[in-house]
């Protein structure tokens, strides 16, 4: 049985969320820039709702919700919990005011401190741990969503907390290849530490000989793909990807724009700046990643190839940028591992029901909270998603 997090561990995660929101105005916190993104205020409310709904309701003898209306308002996708406010309309919630949502968080935190200190939450320790991991996932989403919102503003404002998301580290040159021979390998979580249900069970996979690029694709390399007409050649694109490129009128990555001097600029959490040709490429869709890989005579790795390599990374010093730079698209559909079982009750809705029409990303980004990722971690998004911190590591067969 998992140990109950200490009040200190709980507070550290919860306070970081508030710190990420602190540089934002109440207006920044309310607006929803697109249906896929959520307002900061909603992230703040929803992460408190998770603890109130799944921990406090289970272990407070005299449980009373902070506000009965919040049960539906901040329910993301849990049918077992009941009604949900429609996701595309989260930005219409001018009420409750930000101050009231912050009061909600403070109330939940006080009550959580009580049940953690008294041991009342011991029976749901696994859910408390999940709640903290969930909150860390939303910390990254808060940043990706606020970045998209600020980019939509013609003033191109900087997120004042940009120091909490360090600029991407320059990519080590030159690109080399690390090879593996064929064989049966094991993937999936191993050990006693936390993992999500979608990382289990650990199982065997047969891999043909493959090689992974020792580093990520850079902005400069991707600019060469654009210059070579990469966005104009349907032969490089998946059919659905070509349709997406045309429907969007896409000719470059999401946050790039051509400056008056003809040089590429990039919108970052620190505002608009000149594109760093040596930094890892970020904010591409699976379609773009796949087209770039084809253009360069390579392909995207499968998630099993990526994980097998990452598990050995400490011994392979030349394999760099596996974690903490950008999420790396894989060609693997987000599917259940053989023998996968979702957890019981509402918590079972956390991962399993999303295993359709999405692709797995590996590695974690500069916006992923420290210590949140691991080699077996499976992130997942639709092929068209590019507002996440997603980039490319190339693979080759043979
Ligand atoms: Fe959530």
């Amino acid at each position: 049985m998992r140990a109950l997090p200490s009040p200190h561990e709980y507070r550290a995660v919860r306070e970081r969320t508030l710190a990420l929101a602190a540089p934002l105005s109440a207006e920044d916190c309310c607006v929803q820039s697109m249906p896929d993104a959520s307002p900061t205020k909603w992230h703040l409310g929803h992460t408190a709702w998770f603890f109130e709904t799944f921990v406090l309701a289970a272990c407070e003898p005299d449980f009373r919700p902070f506000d009965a209306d919040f049960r539906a308002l901040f329910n993301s996708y849990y049918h077992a919990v009941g009604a949900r406010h429609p996701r595309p309309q989260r930005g219409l919630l001018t009420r409750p005011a930000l101050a009231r949502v912050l009061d909600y968080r403070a109330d939940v935190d006080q009550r959580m401190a009580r049940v953690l200190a008294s041991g009342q939450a011991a029976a749901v320790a696994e859910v408390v741990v999940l709640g903290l991991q969930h909150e860390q996932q939303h910390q990254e989403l808060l940043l990706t969503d606020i970045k998209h919102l600020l980019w939509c503003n013609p003033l191109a404002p900087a997120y004042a907390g940009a120091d909490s998301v360090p600029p991407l580290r320059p990519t080590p040159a030159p690109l080399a290849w690390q090879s593996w021979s064929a064989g049966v390998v094991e993937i999936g979580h191993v050990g006693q530490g936390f993992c999500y249900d979608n990382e289990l069970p650990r199982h065997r996979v047969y891999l043909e000989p493959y090689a992974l690029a020792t580093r990520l694709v850079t902005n400069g390399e991707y600019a060469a793909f654009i210059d070579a007409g990469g966005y104009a050649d349907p032969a490089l694109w998946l059919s659905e990807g070509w349709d997406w490129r045309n429907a969007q009128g896409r000719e470059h990555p999401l946050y790039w724009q051509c400056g008056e001097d003809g040089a590429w600029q990039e919108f970052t959490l620190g505002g608009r700046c000149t594109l760093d040709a040596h930094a890892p490429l970020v904010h591409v869709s699976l379609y773009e990643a796949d087209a770039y890989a084809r253009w360069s005579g390579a392909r995207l790795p499968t998630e099993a190839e990526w994980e097998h390599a990452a598990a050995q990374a400490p011994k392979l010093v030349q394999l760099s940028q596996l974690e903490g730079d950008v999420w790396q698209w894989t060609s693997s559909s987000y599917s259940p591992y053989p023998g996968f079982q979702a957890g019981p009750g509402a918590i079972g809705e956390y991962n399993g029901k999303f295993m359709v029409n999405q692709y797995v990303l590996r590695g974690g980004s500069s916006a992923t909270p420290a210590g949140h990722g691991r080699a077996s971690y499976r992130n997942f998004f639709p092929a068209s998603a590019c507002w996440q911190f997603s980039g490319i590591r190339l693979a080759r067969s043979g």
Side-chain angles (χ1 to χ4, degrees), residues 42-43 46-47 49-50 74 76-78 90 134-135 137-138 141 350:
W42 191 88
H43 286 299
H46 166 69
T47 44
W49 171 93
F50 191 98
F74 293 121
S76 51
Y77 53 65
Y78 296 89
R90 289 175 185 165
H134 170 255
E135 181 119 4
Q137 287 184 304
H138 276 276
L141 291 172
Y350 199 100

Side-chain angles (χ1 to χ4, degrees), residues 57-275:
C59 59
E60 276 185 335
D62 53 350
F63 173 78
R64 275 184 46 227
F66 175 82
D67 185 325
D69 288 337
F70 287 7
R71 185 172 172 88
L73 218 50
F74 293 121
N75 180 3
S76 51
Y77 53 65
Y78 296 89
H79 292 287
V81 175
R84 283 151 293 121
H85 179 70
R87 178 178 176 143
Q89 294 172 27
R90 289 175 185 165
L92 301 179
L93 299 174
T94 56
R95 312 291 174 88
L98 177 61
R100 178 142 173 89
V101 172
L102 294 174
D103 286 348
Y104 178 41
R105 284 185 69 88
D107 181 73
V108 165
D109 286 345
Q110 269 185 9
R111 293 154 64 198
M112 281 297 299
R114 261 198 307 274
V115 300
L116 289 174
S118 70
Q120 280 169 303
V124 290
E126 297 211 4
V127 185
V128 178
V129 172
L130 181 65
L132 293 177
Q133 297 285 330
H134 170 255
E135 181 119 4
Q136 289 187 312
Q137 287 184 304
H138 276 276
Q139 288 171 355
E140 176 154 3
L141 291 172
L142 187 157
L143 289 169
T144 54
D145 294 356
I146 207 69
K147 182 172 182 177
H148 189 264
L149 173 68
L150 296 177
W151 170 74
C152 291
N153 187 325
L155 302 177
Y159 164 70
D163 53 352
S164 63
V165 183
L168 287 172
R169 296 171 285 188
T171 290
L175 186 147
W177 296 89
Q178 173 78 45
S179 299
W180 282 267
S181 49
V184 175
V185 305
E186 286 194 359
I187 65 162
H189 183 68
V190 63
Q192 297 304 308
F194 172 83
C195 75
Y196 291 108
D197 57 5
N198 63 9
E199 297 166 56
L200 293 171
R202 190 164 169 87
H203 61 284
R204 287 168 295 177
V205 177
Y206 176 73
L207 298 180
E208 296 288 351
Y210 74 102
L212 279 193
T214 52
R215 63 160 173 79
L216 300 169
V217 169
T218 65
N219 287 325
E221 288 166 335
Y222 197 82
F225 165 70
I226 298 173
D227 291 344
Y231 278 83
D233 182 358
L236 296 172
W237 294 72
L238 294 166
S239 170
E240 198 178 284
W242 184 247
D243 292 345
W244 172 85
R245 174 253 171 269
N246 289 328
Q248 302 272 321
R250 198 58 69 91
E251 294 180 336
H252 51 73
L254 177 63
Y255 294 133
W256 288 24
Q257 74 174 61
C258 209
E260 284 173 10
D261 57 357
W264 285 114
Q265 297 178 337
E266 181 184 26
F267 183 74
T268 71
L269 280 168
R272 194 175 289 144
C273 58
T274 303
L275 190 74

Side-chain angles (χ1 to χ4, degrees), residues 1 3 9 22 25 30 42 61 76 87 139 170 199 201 229 234 340 344-345 351 353 374 377:
M1 193 168 177
E9 288 172 302
S25 68
C30 189
W42 191 88
S76 51
R87 178 178 176 143
Q139 288 171 355
E199 297 166 56
F340 167 76
N351 279 313
K353 70 182 187 183
R374 62 198 149 265
Y377 197 107

